[in-house]
């Protein structure tokens, strides 16, 4: 009886407000997400940069693992291949020189430190030659040639003129020297943009051309080749 009475008492003792209520799933999930989004739960999380680096590293590791799987000899074979590629790149750089820009600066022929006279360029060329700096001597001698032609009004002073353009324009006024002017411009381009070095013979050839041009008589347009001013 006591069991029956206790059960009844228990049933009667539970009020309407004491009935357990199940929380719906959607609000419960939202409550959990809101709780987990608090900063206290993410203090030790990696930063965005670190996560990006981790993804990149994982990708690179996968690439190397795949390459090692198909390379002869596995990882050791892959290392040999990588070293061979690096060695080839170094050899090409040593042979061809530092890659040059495809577009020339505005002051391709003359430096941008202000105009200098032909005499000043010649003096600089001779100073470089005395110090056996043939590359710089060739550059200054070519500038002296072009500046001298400008001072004689055989070329119009024009900023940004290249050595090739100057040689082509001067060759029309001095046709007997046109081929040597083109050769001088080519040497200038080789040492200035092609990463090559000049030697004494190249400089001496430009110096001789400079001397001859200083005494050459131009041919006016419309006159016979042999008729000089």
């Amino acid at each position: 009886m006591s069991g029956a009475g206790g059960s009844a008492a228990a049933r009667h003792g539970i009020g309407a407000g004491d009935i357990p209520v199940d929380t719906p799933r959607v609000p419960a999930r939202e409550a959990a997400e809101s709780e987990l989004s608090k900063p206290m739960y993410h203090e030790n999380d990696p930063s965005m940069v670190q996560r990006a680096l981790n993804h990149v590293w994982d990708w690179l590791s996968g690439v190397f693992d795949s390459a090692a799987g198909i390379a002869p000899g596995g990882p050791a074979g892959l290392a040999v291949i990588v070293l061979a590629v690096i060695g080839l790149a170094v050899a090409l750089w040593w042979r061809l020189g530092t890659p040059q820009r495809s577009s020339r600066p505005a002051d391709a022929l003359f430096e941008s430190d202000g105009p200098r006279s032909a005499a000043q360029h010649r003096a600089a060329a001779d100073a470089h030659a005395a110090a056996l700096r043939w590359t710089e001597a060739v550059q200054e001698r070519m500038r002296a040639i072009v500046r001298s032609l400008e001072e004689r009004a055989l070329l119009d002073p024009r900023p940004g003129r290249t050595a090739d353009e100057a040689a082509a324009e001067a060759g029309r006024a001095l046709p007997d020297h046109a081929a040597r002017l083109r050769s001088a411009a080519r040497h200038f381009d080789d040492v200035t943009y092609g990463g090559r070095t000049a030697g004494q013979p190249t400089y001496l050839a430009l110096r001789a051309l400079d001397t001859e041009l200083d005494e050459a008589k131009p041919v006016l347009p419309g006159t016979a080749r042999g008729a000089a001013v």
Side-chain angles (χ1 to χ4, degrees):
M1 183 174 179
S2 60
S7 299
R11 287 195 300 269
H12 292 292
I14 298 175
D18 297 329
I19 298 176
V21 178
D22 293 336
T23 304
R25 292 182 179 180
V26 174
R29 185 175 68 251
E30 293 177 350
E33 292 175 350
S34 176
E35 178 66 21
L36 293 176
S37 66
K38 293 180 179 179
M40 60 182 295
Y41 295 106
H42 303 278
E43 293 178 352
N44 297 321
D45 288 355
S47 64
M48 182 179 298
V49 174
Q50 186 62 46
R51 290 197 299 270
L53 291 176
N54 290 339
H55 286 306
V56 172
W57 180 251
D58 291 340
W59 177 78
L60 288 175
S61 298
V63 171
F64 281 112
D65 289 343
S66 300
I70 62 176
L78 178 62
V80 171
I81 294 174
V82 171
L83 291 176
V85 172
I86 294 175
L88 179 61
V90 171
L92 289 174
W93 177 84
W94 182 265
R95 177 66 180 85
L96 301 178
T98 305
Q100 304 295 319
R101 294 177 298 177
S102 58
S103 58
R104 297 175 180 175
D107 51 345
L109 180 60
F110 294 101
E111 301 291 346
S112 57
D113 57 351
R116 291 192 293 172
S117 66
Q120 289 175 312
H121 284 295
R122 288 182 181 122
D126 289 338
H128 287 304
L132 305 183
R133 294 189 296 266
W134 303 115
T135 295
E136 292 83 354
V138 165
Q139 292 172 321
E140 287 299 322
R141 184 59 66 169
M142 183 63 192
R143 291 173 180 136
I145 290 173
V146 175
R147 184 66 77 204
S148 176
L149 295 174
E150 291 178 348
E151 291 173 353
R152 295 173 58 193
L154 299 181
L155 288 178
D156 293 328
R158 177 161 55 85
R161 176 189 277 121
T162 67
D164 292 330
E165 292 170 344
E169 295 172 20
R172 289 192 286 270
L174 301 165
D176 291 337
H177 299 83
R180 294 172 65 191
L181 282 165
R182 290 194 300 268
S183 177
R186 185 171 61 252
H187 287 306
F188 178 88
D189 289 343
D190 286 344
V191 300
T192 305
Y193 308 108
R196 300 183 181 179
T197 57
Q200 183 181 20
T202 302
Y203 174 71
L204 294 178
L206 263 70
R207 189 178 68 178
L209 175 63
D210 186 18
T211 302
E212 293 179 24
L213 289 175
D214 201 39
E215 301 174 355
K217 301 299 182 181
V219 175
L220 292 179
T223 61
R225 183 185 177 101
V229 176

